[in-house]
Amino acid sequence: MPTKDNVRIAPAEGKLGVLTPGVGAVSTTFIAGVEAIKRGLGKPIGSLTQMATVRLGKRTDGRSPYIKDFVPLAKLDDLVFSGWDIYEDTAYEAALNAGVLDRSLLEQVKGPLSAIKPMKAVFDQEYVRRINGPNVKKAATNYEKAEMLMDDIEQFRKNTGVARVVVVWCGSTEVFHRPSAVHQTLESFEEGLRKNDPEIAPSQIYAYAALKSGVPFANGAPNLTTDVPALLAMARDRQVPICGKDFKTGQTFMKTLLAPGLKARMLGLNGWFSTNILGNRDGEVLDDPGSFKSKEETKLSVLDQILQPKLYPDLYGDVHHMVRINYYPPRGDAKEGWDNIDIFGWLGYPMQIKIDFLCRDSILAAPIVLDLVMFMDLAQRAGMKGIQEWLSFYFKAPMHAPGLYPEHDIFIQLMKLKNTLRWMRGEDLITHLGLEYYD
Ligand SMILES: NC(=O)c1ccc[n+]([C@@H]2O[C@H](COP(=O)([O-])OP(=O)(O)OC[C@H]3O[C@@H](n4cnc5c(N)ncnc54)[C@H](O)[C@@H]3O)[C@@H](O)[C@H]2O)c1
């Protein structure tokens, strides 16, 4: 049958492997969730690929298929999971430790979760200082470790018979680093791997191994990872999609909902103070100033980009934006985030907004992981390579082409995502002009 698709999309045949560096709170909540949903024990709340529709044509056409019926996505039943971690706990034990999902639910998916035994990790304590574990690869050079990761991917393919694989970084946040000389070209990067250059982070070794294996790589943490010229070029040259960084879940999600609204009404902002208490392992890692610095950078970048202070100096020229994360063990994964927002209106009269978000970090992150798996696999089957900016919707610090500014406004991000799906399928893009309804 002839197709009017703008891109040729290979069918989602066979099984789809999902590998996560990091088998912790987020990844086990995601995996256990998919297994529970497959058994009818819950619904995939928060996932666009499973629950959202996409409007096609005019508002009067009445065409709003589910995204999963509009573009060919893998089925939940086709997903096969594994991962790497520095701890030997199975996904079942890690999920129990994370304390996100109820034990009674985990018991019902104990079989598949217990079968997931993390592969040995590539780890460097210089990059994640607060934790240490025994399940790590040993080799003389990082180049050899990258080869071992590639071998893990190959063995996983062989053992499970998956047709395709996607990697999503769900590991701890690494300490803040800027791109350096070793990151500039593939040659310098590979040389750096051979010489154990300390500027190459473990997450970059995973990303290199994934890209070299032709496997899409999404980065759920704020680490630099693929945001360096060598790996960006590698993704393009090898026709592999990449995206990142840092899942947009609790407080930053709220920020990207509210800030565009304030700006839309031309209301001014003096200050935005955000603080959190958090007691899971992620919180423990972020208690280290180096890891927190990575997080702070992605969290702080959001407001500046949305508010455009250079265009609106009267409204946003002098904004005090502060973000704090406090490690407070009693809370576990049940984070609490407070925002105090000082705004001003007509004639400069001040007002305040207070938010108290009692969220569950991993409950918000799990559907993002699922959607990224589904969409990254789609992107690869559609021949899309390099940075997938249309997936900015899911990230605090969306990757973007050099010279572009990132798009943080969640409503623009959603429009971009859905228009990309429409474009793939050769449907008209939706502009919301709508004059034709009044002709
Ligand atoms: N939960 C959220 O809402 C959210 C939002 C945005 C970003 N993130 C990021 O996602 C990541 C995972 O979060 P989490 O709550 O699952 O944390 P977690 O601490 O429960 O899990 C991370 C796991 O990664 C492992 N790990 C660390 N370095 C590794 C390496 N080099 N190789 C393999 N495994 C490694 C740790 O042992 C740990 O088990 C963190 O970086 C976090 O900042 C989470």
Side-chain angles (χ1 to χ4, degrees), residues 346-359:
W346 188 241
L347 309 177
Y349 277 72
M351 296 173 263
Q352 291 185 10
I353 303 172
K354 312 274 180 189
I355 304 174
D356 182 2
F357 189 14
L358 290 98
C359 69

Side-chain angles (χ1 to χ4, degrees), residues 25-26 85 122 170-173 206 220 246-247 249 281-282 295 361:
V26 171
D85 206 290
V122 173
C170 294
S172 309
T173 299
Y206 285 95
D246 205 3
F247 303 131
T249 51
R281 192 181 281 156
D282 185 31
K295 211 36 147 192
D361 252 9

